[in-house]
Amino acid sequence: ETYDGGMSISADIVQIPDSGTIVLTVRSLNDFRLVLSNHPDITLPYQLFIGGSETPVVQDGEVGRFTKAQSTEIPLNAKMTGTPQYSGSYADSLTFTVSYTET
C-alpha cells in the first residue's frame, strides 16, 4: 500500500545577476525514512519525487534550478513505500541547500 503526501517550494528571485543560476538540493536526516518518535529503530521508507517525475530524488539530489528570469514553484511529492506496523508520529527532517553558480 502506498500513502502520498506533498509540499511545494517556491522562489521569487530578485537579487541575482542575469547570468546566474541558483540550484536547490535536498538531504534527508534519516536517508528518506520516517522515524517513529521515541522509537528510532522503527522506521518507514519513503521516496521523494519532483512533481511529474518518475525518478525519486536521492541524497543531495537536485530538486530545482532558478534564474532571475524564472520565478517558479516546484511541487515535491512523497510516497511511503512501506506500511506502518505501529501507530504514532513518524518524522524525517529535510535540509535544502541553496547554491549559486555564475553562468
Side-chain angles (χ1 to χ4, degrees):
E1 192 168 346
T2 300
Y3 302 86
D4 298 327
M7 66 178 173
S8 62
I9 298 170
S10 60
D12 187 11
I13 298 170
V14 180
Q15 299 296 327
I16 65 171
D18 292 335
S19 61
T21 301
I22 290 178
V23 177
L24 184 67
T25 58
V26 66
R27 174 168 278 277
S28 163
L29 177 66
N30 302 311
D31 199 24
F32 297 105
R33 298 184 76 78
L34 299 172
V35 176
L36 181 61
S37 61
N38 300 323
H39 296 283
D41 55 324
I42 299 173
T43 64
L44 281 171
Y46 72 95
Q47 294 178 315
L48 187 66
F49 297 87
I50 299 168
S53 174
E54 303 265 337
T55 306
V57 177
V58 296
Q59 208 59 287
D60 294 319
E62 182 179 314
V63 293
R65 286 181 176 261
F66 304 94
T67 64
K68 186 173 185 175
Q70 175 190 34
S71 179
T72 189
E73 184 172 285
I74 299 171
L76 295 176
N77 302 305
K79 292 187 179 187
M80 289 177 21
T81 56
T83 302
Q85 300 299 310
Y86 304 96
S87 62
S89 297
Y90 291 80
D92 188 14
S93 179
L94 299 178
T95 303
F96 293 92
T97 301
V98 178
S99 60
Y100 171 76
T101 303
E102 191 170 348
T103 54

